[in-house]
PDB file of all heavy atoms in Angstrom:
ATOM      1  N   GLU A 130       0.814  -1.220   0.000  1.00  0.00           N
ATOM      2  CA  GLU A 130      -0.006  -0.002   0.006  1.00  0.00           C
ATOM      3  C   GLU A 130       0.846   1.270   0.001  1.00  0.00           C
ATOM      4  O   GLU A 130       0.519   2.239  -0.684  1.00  0.00           O
ATOM      5  CB  GLU A 130      -0.937   0.009   1.202  1.00  0.00           C
ATOM      6  CG  GLU A 130      -1.808   1.258   1.263  1.00  0.00           C
ATOM      7  CD  GLU A 130      -2.789   1.259   2.413  1.00  0.00           C
ATOM      8  OE1 GLU A 130      -2.832   0.248   3.155  1.00  0.00           O
ATOM      9  OE2 GLU A 130      -3.513   2.250   2.568  1.00  0.00           O
ATOM     10  N   ILE A 131       1.929   1.280   0.761  1.00  0.00           N
ATOM     11  CA  ILE A 131       2.769   2.480   0.812  1.00  0.00           C
ATOM     12  C   ILE A 131       3.298   2.810  -0.572  1.00  0.00           C
ATOM     13  O   ILE A 131       3.269   3.970  -1.011  1.00  0.00           O
ATOM     14  CB  ILE A 131       3.921   2.281   1.816  1.00  0.00           C
ATOM     15  CG1 ILE A 131       3.373   2.183   3.247  1.00  0.00           C
ATOM     16  CG2 ILE A 131       4.925   3.429   1.715  1.00  0.00           C
ATOM     17  CD1 ILE A 131       4.427   1.866   4.294  1.00  0.00           C
ATOM     18  N   GLU A 132       3.782   1.798  -1.282  1.00  0.00           N
ATOM     19  CA  GLU A 132       4.305   2.015  -2.637  1.00  0.00           C
ATOM     20  C   GLU A 132       3.205   2.508  -3.573  1.00  0.00           C
ATOM     21  O   GLU A 132       3.445   3.352  -4.449  1.00  0.00           O
ATOM     22  CB  GLU A 132       4.914   0.722  -3.159  1.00  0.00           C
ATOM     23  CG  GLU A 132       6.198   0.307  -2.464  1.00  0.00           C
ATOM     24  CD  GLU A 132       5.969  -0.458  -1.165  1.00  0.00           C
ATOM     25  OE1 GLU A 132       4.803  -0.507  -0.686  1.00  0.00           O
ATOM     26  OE2 GLU A 132       6.947  -1.004  -0.633  1.00  0.00           O
ATOM     27  N   ALA A 133       2.006   1.995  -3.382  1.00  0.00           N
ATOM     28  CA  ALA A 133       0.888   2.432  -4.240  1.00  0.00           C
ATOM     29  C   ALA A 133       0.525   3.878  -3.961  1.00  0.00           C
ATOM     30  O   ALA A 133       0.190   4.641  -4.881  1.00  0.00           O
ATOM     31  CB  ALA A 133      -0.312   1.526  -4.006  1.00  0.00           C
ATOM     32  N   ARG A 134       0.566   4.286  -2.710  1.00  0.00           N
ATOM     33  CA  ARG A 134       0.229   5.661  -2.369  1.00  0.00           C
ATOM     34  C   ARG A 134       1.259   6.646  -2.933  1.00  0.00           C
ATOM     35  O   ARG A 134       0.904   7.764  -3.322  1.00  0.00           O
ATOM     36  CB  ARG A 134       0.109   5.816  -0.844  1.00  0.00           C
ATOM     37  CG  ARG A 134      -1.031   5.032  -0.228  1.00  0.00           C
ATOM     38  CD  ARG A 134      -1.103   5.221   1.279  1.00  0.00           C
ATOM     39  NE  ARG A 134      -1.567   6.560   1.607  1.00  0.00           N
ATOM     40  CZ  ARG A 134      -2.856   6.901   1.711  1.00  0.00           C
ATOM     41  NH1 ARG A 134      -3.813   6.005   1.502  1.00  0.00           N
ATOM     42  NH2 ARG A 134      -3.190   8.131   2.035  1.00  0.00           N
ATOM     43  N   VAL A 135       2.519   6.235  -2.969  1.00  0.00           N
ATOM     44  CA  VAL A 135       3.570   7.094  -3.508  1.00  0.00           C
ATOM     45  C   VAL A 135       3.307   7.415  -4.990  1.00  0.00           C
ATOM     46  O   VAL A 135       3.663   8.486  -5.478  1.00  0.00           O
ATOM     47  CB  VAL A 135       4.953   6.417  -3.344  1.00  0.00           C
ATOM     48  CG1 VAL A 135       6.028   7.129  -4.157  1.00  0.00           C
ATOM     49  CG2 VAL A 135       5.338   6.400  -1.869  1.00  0.00           C
ATOM     50  N   LEU A 136       2.654   6.520  -5.690  1.00  0.00           N
ATOM     51  CA  LEU A 136       2.340   6.723  -7.116  1.00  0.00           C
ATOM     52  C   LEU A 136       1.396   7.891  -7.347  1.00  0.00           C
ATOM     53  O   LEU A 136       1.460   8.553  -8.382  1.00  0.00           O
ATOM     54  CB  LEU A 136       1.704   5.468  -7.700  1.00  0.00           C
ATOM     55  CG  LEU A 136       2.593   4.389  -8.283  1.00  0.00           C
ATOM     56  CD1 LEU A 136       1.761   3.182  -8.656  1.00  0.00           C
ATOM     57  CD2 LEU A 136       3.343   4.915  -9.499  1.00  0.00           C
ATOM     58  N   ASN A 137       0.499   8.148  -6.381  1.00  0.00           N
ATOM     59  CA  ASN A 137      -0.584   9.095  -6.620  1.00  0.00           C
ATOM     60  C   ASN A 137      -0.772  10.087  -5.467  1.00  0.00           C
ATOM     61  O   ASN A 137      -1.871  10.236  -4.937  1.00  0.00           O
ATOM     62  CB  ASN A 137      -1.903   8.338  -6.847  1.00  0.00           C
ATOM     63  CG  ASN A 137      -1.898   7.547  -8.126  1.00  0.00           C
ATOM     64  OD1 ASN A 137      -1.800   8.107  -9.213  1.00  0.00           O
ATOM     65  ND2 ASN A 137      -2.008   6.229  -8.005  1.00  0.00           N
ATOM     66  N   PRO A 138       0.287  10.824  -5.076  1.00  0.00           N
ATOM     67  CA  PRO A 138       0.134  11.745  -3.949  1.00  0.00           C
ATOM     68  C   PRO A 138      -0.874  12.848  -4.222  1.00  0.00           C
ATOM     69  O   PRO A 138      -1.593  13.281  -3.317  1.00  0.00           O
ATOM     70  CB  PRO A 138       1.540  12.305  -3.765  1.00  0.00           C
ATOM     71  CG  PRO A 138       2.179  12.177  -5.112  1.00  0.00           C
ATOM     72  CD  PRO A 138       1.632  10.899  -5.667  1.00  0.00           C
ATOM     73  N   GLY A 139      -0.933  13.311  -5.461  1.00  0.00           N
ATOM     74  CA  GLY A 139      -1.838  14.393  -5.806  1.00  0.00           C
ATOM     75  C   GLY A 139      -3.293  13.955  -5.822  1.00  0.00           C
ATOM     76  O   GLY A 139      -4.171  14.662  -5.318  1.00  0.00           O
ATOM     77  N   PHE A 140      -3.567  12.812  -6.402  1.00  0.00           N
ATOM     78  CA  PHE A 140      -4.938  12.306  -6.451  1.00  0.00           C
ATOM     79  C   PHE A 140      -5.443  12.071  -5.028  1.00  0.00           C
ATOM     80  O   PHE A 140      -6.583  12.415  -4.691  1.00  0.00           O
ATOM     81  CB  PHE A 140      -4.994  11.005  -7.260  1.00  0.00           C
ATOM     82  CG  PHE A 140      -6.368  10.432  -7.401  1.00  0.00           C
ATOM     83  CD1 PHE A 140      -7.300  11.004  -8.262  1.00  0.00           C
ATOM     84  CD2 PHE A 140      -6.754   9.309  -6.670  1.00  0.00           C
ATOM     85  CE1 PHE A 140      -8.573  10.480  -8.384  1.00  0.00           C
ATOM     86  CE2 PHE A 140      -8.020   8.768  -6.791  1.00  0.00           C
ATOM     87  CZ  PHE A 140      -8.929   9.353  -7.658  1.00  0.00           C
ATOM     88  N   ILE A 141      -4.583  11.519  -4.174  1.00  0.00           N
ATOM     89  CA  ILE A 141      -4.974  11.267  -2.788  1.00  0.00           C
ATOM     90  C   ILE A 141      -5.254  12.589  -2.068  1.00  0.00           C
ATOM     91  O   ILE A 141      -6.239  12.728  -1.336  1.00  0.00           O
ATOM     92  CB  ILE A 141      -3.891  10.458  -2.066  1.00  0.00           C
ATOM     93  CG1 ILE A 141      -3.792   9.059  -2.675  1.00  0.00           C
ATOM     94  CG2 ILE A 141      -4.182  10.375  -0.567  1.00  0.00           C
ATOM     95  CD1 ILE A 141      -2.597   8.256  -2.182  1.00  0.00           C
ATOM     96  N   ALA A 142      -4.376  13.598  -2.262  1.00  0.00           N
ATOM     97  CA  ALA A 142      -4.572  14.895  -1.605  1.00  0.00           C
ATOM     98  C   ALA A 142      -5.865  15.546  -2.057  1.00  0.00           C
ATOM     99  O   ALA A 142      -6.607  16.114  -1.245  1.00  0.00           O
ATOM    100  CB  ALA A 142      -3.377  15.806  -1.883  1.00  0.00           C
ATOM    101  N   ARG A 143      -6.133  15.484  -3.371  1.00  0.00           N
ATOM    102  CA  ARG A 143      -7.348  16.119  -3.885  1.00  0.00           C
ATOM    103  C   ARG A 143      -8.604  15.438  -3.347  1.00  0.00           C
ATOM    104  O   ARG A 143      -9.602  16.093  -3.041  1.00  0.00           O
ATOM    105  CB  ARG A 143      -7.343  16.105  -5.413  1.00  0.00           C
ATOM    106  CG  ARG A 143      -8.573  16.758  -6.038  1.00  0.00           C
ATOM    107  CD  ARG A 143      -8.346  17.122  -7.489  1.00  0.00           C
ATOM    108  NE  ARG A 143      -8.158  15.967  -8.342  1.00  0.00           N
ATOM    109  CZ  ARG A 143      -9.142  15.305  -8.964  1.00  0.00           C
ATOM    110  NH1 ARG A 143     -10.407  15.674  -8.781  1.00  0.00           N
ATOM    111  NH2 ARG A 143      -8.880  14.282  -9.756  1.00  0.00           N
ATOM    112  N   MET A 144      -8.568  14.108  -3.213  1.00  0.00           N
ATOM    113  CA  MET A 144      -9.732  13.378  -2.735  1.00  0.00           C
ATOM    114  C   MET A 144      -9.952  13.532  -1.233  1.00  0.00           C
ATOM    115  O   MET A 144     -11.092  13.575  -0.760  1.00  0.00           O
ATOM    116  CB  MET A 144      -9.583  11.890  -3.078  1.00  0.00           C
ATOM    117  CG  MET A 144      -9.670  11.564  -4.556  1.00  0.00           C
ATOM    118  SD  MET A 144     -11.275  11.956  -5.307  1.00  0.00           S
ATOM    119  CE  MET A 144     -10.823  13.354  -6.324  1.00  0.00           C
ATOM    120  N   THR A 145      -8.873  13.608  -0.479  1.00  0.00           N
ATOM    121  CA  THR A 145      -9.004  13.599   0.990  1.00  0.00           C
ATOM    122  C   THR A 145      -8.868  14.962   1.639  1.00  0.00           C
ATOM    123  O   THR A 145      -9.424  15.184   2.721  1.00  0.00           O
ATOM    124  CB  THR A 145      -7.938  12.658   1.605  1.00  0.00           C
ATOM    125  OG1 THR A 145      -6.633  13.141   1.274  1.00  0.00           O
ATOM    126  CG2 THR A 145      -8.117  11.229   1.089  1.00  0.00           C
ATOM    127  N   GLN A 146      -8.134  15.884   0.984  1.00  0.00           N
ATOM    128  CA  GLN A 146      -7.920  17.198   1.573  1.00  0.00           C
ATOM    129  C   GLN A 146      -8.509  18.336   0.728  1.00  0.00           C
ATOM    130  O   GLN A 146      -8.423  19.499   1.115  1.00  0.00           O
ATOM    131  CB  GLN A 146      -6.424  17.453   1.763  1.00  0.00           C
ATOM    132  CG  GLN A 146      -5.739  16.444   2.642  1.00  0.00           C
ATOM    133  CD  GLN A 146      -4.241  16.710   2.753  1.00  0.00           C
ATOM    134  OE1 GLN A 146      -3.808  17.816   3.093  1.00  0.00           O
ATOM    135  NE2 GLN A 146      -3.436  15.702   2.443  1.00  0.00           N
ATOM    136  N   GLN A 147      -9.044  17.991  -0.423  1.00  0.00           N
ATOM    137  CA  GLN A 147      -9.633  18.976  -1.343  1.00  0.00           C
ATOM    138  C   GLN A 147      -8.633  20.052  -1.755  1.00  0.00           C
ATOM    139  O   GLN A 147      -8.957  21.234  -1.902  1.00  0.00           O
ATOM    140  CB  GLN A 147     -10.891  19.638  -0.726  1.00  0.00           C
ATOM    141  CG  GLN A 147     -12.063  18.693  -0.562  1.00  0.00           C
ATOM    142  CD  GLN A 147     -11.865  17.714   0.591  1.00  0.00           C
ATOM    143  OE1 GLN A 147     -11.611  18.136   1.723  1.00  0.00           O
ATOM    144  NE2 GLN A 147     -11.975  16.426   0.337  1.00  0.00           N
ATOM    145  N   ARG A 148      -7.405  19.633  -1.943  1.00  0.00           N
ATOM    146  CA  ARG A 148      -6.381  20.529  -2.480  1.00  0.00           C
ATOM    147  C   ARG A 148      -5.287  19.685  -3.124  1.00  0.00           C
ATOM    148  O   ARG A 148      -5.193  18.473  -2.880  1.00  0.00           O
ATOM    149  CB  ARG A 148      -5.834  21.448  -1.392  1.00  0.00           C
ATOM    150  CG  ARG A 148      -5.156  20.749  -0.209  1.00  0.00           C
ATOM    151  CD  ARG A 148      -3.667  20.740  -0.400  1.00  0.00           C
ATOM    152  NE  ARG A 148      -2.915  20.611   0.838  1.00  0.00           N
ATOM    153  CZ  ARG A 148      -1.589  20.473   0.882  1.00  0.00           C
ATOM    154  NH1 ARG A 148      -0.895  20.432  -0.235  1.00  0.00           N
ATOM    155  NH2 ARG A 148      -0.959  20.355   2.033  1.00  0.00           N
ATOM    156  N   PRO A 149      -4.451  20.271  -3.958  1.00  0.00           N
ATOM    157  CA  PRO A 149      -3.412  19.481  -4.620  1.00  0.00           C
ATOM    158  C   PRO A 149      -2.260  19.119  -3.672  1.00  0.00           C
ATOM    159  O   PRO A 149      -2.091  19.701  -2.604  1.00  0.00           O
ATOM    160  CB  PRO A 149      -2.899  20.414  -5.743  1.00  0.00           C
ATOM    161  CG  PRO A 149      -3.844  21.565  -5.780  1.00  0.00           C
ATOM    162  CD  PRO A 149      -4.458  21.657  -4.426  1.00  0.00           C
ATOM    163  N   PHE A 150      -1.454  18.158  -4.110  1.00  0.00           N
ATOM    164  CA  PHE A 150      -0.153  17.908  -3.518  1.00  0.00           C
ATOM    165  C   PHE A 150       0.787  18.974  -4.070  1.00  0.00           C
ATOM    166  O   PHE A 150       0.919  19.126  -5.274  1.00  0.00           O
ATOM    167  CB  PHE A 150       0.337  16.508  -3.886  1.00  0.00           C
ATOM    168  CG  PHE A 150       1.685  16.144  -3.337  1.00  0.00           C
ATOM    169  CD1 PHE A 150       1.799  15.515  -2.109  1.00  0.00           C
ATOM    170  CD2 PHE A 150       2.849  16.404  -4.051  1.00  0.00           C
ATOM    171  CE1 PHE A 150       3.041  15.161  -1.591  1.00  0.00           C
ATOM    172  CE2 PHE A 150       4.088  16.048  -3.561  1.00  0.00           C
ATOM    173  CZ  PHE A 150       4.186  15.427  -2.322  1.00  0.00           C
ATOM    174  N   VAL A 151       1.433  19.729  -3.183  1.00  0.00           N
ATOM    175  CA  VAL A 151       2.250  20.880  -3.601  1.00  0.00           C
ATOM    176  C   VAL A 151       3.720  20.505  -3.549  1.00  0.00           C
ATOM    177  O   VAL A 151       4.262  20.165  -2.492  1.00  0.00           O
ATOM    178  CB  VAL A 151       1.961  22.104  -2.718  1.00  0.00           C
ATOM    179  CG1 VAL A 151       2.863  23.271  -3.114  1.00  0.00           C
ATOM    180  CG2 VAL A 151       0.487  22.502  -2.830  1.00  0.00           C
ATOM    181  N   ARG A 152       4.358  20.603  -4.698  1.00  0.00           N
ATOM    182  CA  ARG A 152       5.791  20.296  -4.821  1.00  0.00           C
ATOM    183  C   ARG A 152       6.503  21.595  -5.218  1.00  0.00           C
ATOM    184  O   ARG A 152       6.219  22.183  -6.256  1.00  0.00           O
ATOM    185  CB  ARG A 152       6.000  19.214  -5.871  1.00  0.00           C
ATOM    186  CG  ARG A 152       7.444  18.792  -6.080  1.00  0.00           C
ATOM    187  CD  ARG A 152       7.546  17.666  -7.116  1.00  0.00           C
ATOM    188  NE  ARG A 152       7.072  16.388  -6.572  1.00  0.00           N
ATOM    189  CZ  ARG A 152       5.995  15.744  -7.014  1.00  0.00           C
ATOM    190  NH1 ARG A 152       5.257  16.252  -7.987  1.00  0.00           N
ATOM    191  NH2 ARG A 152       5.658  14.573  -6.479  1.00  0.00           N
ATOM    192  N   LEU A 153       7.431  22.044  -4.375  1.00  0.00           N
ATOM    193  CA  LEU A 153       8.159  23.287  -4.616  1.00  0.00           C
ATOM    194  C   LEU A 153       9.534  22.970  -5.170  1.00  0.00           C
ATOM    195  O   LEU A 153      10.325  22.271  -4.534  1.00  0.00           O
ATOM    196  CB  LEU A 153       8.277  24.077  -3.319  1.00  0.00           C
ATOM    197  CG  LEU A 153       9.119  25.348  -3.329  1.00  0.00           C
ATOM    198  CD1 LEU A 153       8.571  26.369  -4.309  1.00  0.00           C
ATOM    199  CD2 LEU A 153       9.199  25.949  -1.913  1.00  0.00           C
ATOM    200  N   LYS A 154       9.813  23.489  -6.375  1.00  0.00           N
ATOM    201  CA  LYS A 154      11.112  23.277  -7.013  1.00  0.00           C
ATOM    202  C   LYS A 154      11.905  24.570  -6.968  1.00  0.00           C
ATOM    203  O   LYS A 154      11.419  25.629  -7.317  1.00  0.00           O
ATOM    204  CB  LYS A 154      10.916  22.837  -8.468  1.00  0.00           C
ATOM    205  CG  LYS A 154      12.208  22.467  -9.201  1.00  0.00           C
ATOM    206  CD  LYS A 154      13.003  23.657  -9.757  1.00  0.00           C
ATOM    207  CE  LYS A 154      12.245  24.468 -10.779  1.00  0.00           C
ATOM    208  NZ  LYS A 154      13.127  25.582 -11.319  1.00  0.00           N
ATOM    209  N   MET A 155      13.154  24.483  -6.506  1.00  0.00           N
ATOM    210  CA  MET A 155      14.033  25.653  -6.482  1.00  0.00           C
ATOM    211  C   MET A 155      15.422  25.227  -6.954  1.00  0.00           C
ATOM    212  O   MET A 155      15.871  24.116  -6.695  1.00  0.00           O
ATOM    213  CB  MET A 155      14.134  26.232  -5.063  1.00  0.00           C
ATOM    214  CG  MET A 155      12.797  26.645  -4.442  1.00  0.00           C
ATOM    215  SD  MET A 155      12.049  28.078  -5.232  1.00  0.00           S
ATOM    216  CE  MET A 155      13.009  29.413  -4.511  1.00  0.00           C
ATOM    217  N   ALA A 156      16.098  26.125  -7.661  1.00  0.00           N
ATOM    218  CA  ALA A 156      17.489  25.913  -8.065  1.00  0.00           C
ATOM    219  C   ALA A 156      18.347  26.956  -7.357  1.00  0.00           C
ATOM    220  O   ALA A 156      17.973  28.139  -7.306  1.00  0.00           O
ATOM    221  CB  ALA A 156      17.637  26.030  -9.578  1.00  0.00           C
ATOM    222  N   MET A 157      19.485  26.538  -6.831  1.00  0.00           N
ATOM    223  CA  MET A 157      20.288  27.472  -6.059  1.00  0.00           C
ATOM    224  C   MET A 157      21.777  27.161  -6.210  1.00  0.00           C
ATOM    225  O   MET A 157      22.182  26.064  -6.600  1.00  0.00           O
ATOM    226  CB  MET A 157      19.905  27.418  -4.586  1.00  0.00           C
ATOM    227  CG  MET A 157      20.203  26.103  -3.904  1.00  0.00           C
ATOM    228  SD  MET A 157      19.753  26.182  -2.145  1.00  0.00           S
ATOM    229  CE  MET A 157      20.234  24.548  -1.594  1.00  0.00           C
ATOM    230  N   SER A 158      22.558  28.159  -5.866  1.00  0.00           N
ATOM    231  CA  SER A 158      24.009  27.985  -5.809  1.00  0.00           C
ATOM    232  C   SER A 158      24.382  27.326  -4.485  1.00  0.00           C
ATOM    233  O   SER A 158      23.538  27.156  -3.600  1.00  0.00           O
ATOM    234  CB  SER A 158      24.683  29.348  -5.930  1.00  0.00           C
ATOM    235  OG  SER A 158      24.290  30.168  -4.839  1.00  0.00           O
ATOM    236  N   LEU A 159      25.642  26.994  -4.345  1.00  0.00           N
ATOM    237  CA  LEU A 159      26.086  26.348  -3.120  1.00  0.00           C
ATOM    238  C   LEU A 159      25.961  27.271  -1.924  1.00  0.00           C
ATOM    239  O   LEU A 159      25.850  26.807  -0.776  1.00  0.00           O
ATOM    240  CB  LEU A 159      27.554  25.895  -3.281  1.00  0.00           C
ATOM    241  CG  LEU A 159      28.041  24.760  -2.374  1.00  0.00           C
ATOM    242  CD1 LEU A 159      27.178  23.510  -2.536  1.00  0.00           C
ATOM    243  CD2 LEU A 159      29.500  24.437  -2.674  1.00  0.00           C
ATOM    244  N   ASP A 160      25.951  28.575  -2.150  1.00  0.00           N
ATOM    245  CA  ASP A 160      25.752  29.526  -1.051  1.00  0.00           C
ATOM    246  C   ASP A 160      24.289  29.968  -0.931  1.00  0.00           C
ATOM    247  O   ASP A 160      23.988  31.007  -0.345  1.00  0.00           O
ATOM    248  CB  ASP A 160      26.691  30.734  -1.160  1.00  0.00           C
ATOM    249  CG  ASP A 160      26.613  31.438  -2.514  1.00  0.00           C
ATOM    250  OD1 ASP A 160      26.004  30.859  -3.453  1.00  0.00           O
ATOM    251  OD2 ASP A 160      27.163  32.548  -2.637  1.00  0.00           O
ATOM    252  N   GLY A 161      23.366  29.169  -1.463  1.00  0.00           N
ATOM    253  CA  GLY A 161      21.947  29.368  -1.230  1.00  0.00           C
ATOM    254  C   GLY A 161      21.334  30.536  -1.961  1.00  0.00           C
ATOM    255  O   GLY A 161      20.347  31.118  -1.493  1.00  0.00           O
ATOM    256  N   ARG A 162      21.840  30.870  -3.131  1.00  0.00           N
ATOM    257  CA  ARG A 162      21.313  31.991  -3.900  1.00  0.00           C
ATOM    258  C   ARG A 162      20.647  31.491  -5.196  1.00  0.00           C
ATOM    259  O   ARG A 162      21.079  30.510  -5.790  1.00  0.00           O
ATOM    260  CB  ARG A 162      22.431  32.971  -4.240  1.00  0.00           C
ATOM    261  CG  ARG A 162      23.158  33.505  -3.006  1.00  0.00           C
ATOM    262  CD  ARG A 162      22.263  34.420  -2.200  1.00  0.00           C
ATOM    263  NE  ARG A 162      22.801  34.718  -0.885  1.00  0.00           N
ATOM    264  CZ  ARG A 162      22.367  35.705  -0.105  1.00  0.00           C
ATOM    265  NH1 ARG A 162      21.386  36.478  -0.528  1.00  0.00           N
ATOM    266  NH2 ARG A 162      22.887  35.909   1.076  1.00  0.00           N
ATOM    267  N   THR A 163      19.602  32.214  -5.619  1.00  0.00           N
ATOM    268  CA  THR A 163      18.823  31.770  -6.770  1.00  0.00           C
ATOM    269  C   THR A 163      19.005  32.634  -8.005  1.00  0.00           C
ATOM    270  O   THR A 163      18.625  32.241  -9.095  1.00  0.00           O
ATOM    271  CB  THR A 163      17.326  31.742  -6.431  1.00  0.00           C
ATOM    272  OG1 THR A 163      16.888  33.067  -6.099  1.00  0.00           O
ATOM    273  CG2 THR A 163      17.059  30.821  -5.252  1.00  0.00           C
TER     274      THR A 163
END
C-alpha cells in the first residue's frame, strides 16, 4: 500500500484534503542563492 500511495500523492490529496499535492522546485548555488 505504501508504494501504491507514492504513485498518486496528488490524487490522494485532492480526494482527501480537497487541495493538490504541492511540490516546490528551487534551483540554487552552493551559497543558497537563486
Side-chain angles (χ1 to χ4, degrees):
E130 180 177 358
I131 293 175
E132 291 83 350
R134 295 180 71 87
V135 168
L136 271 173
N137 293 297
F140 182 75
I141 294 170
R143 180 162 66 89
M144 291 297 109
T145 61
Q146 301 178 54
Q147 292 74 55
R148 61 98 156 174
F150 179 90
V151 177
R152 181 178 286 115
L153 174 60
K154 185 279 299 183
M155 302 291 281
M157 66 178 181
S158 62
L159 203 57
D160 54 348
R162 303 291 168 165
T163 62

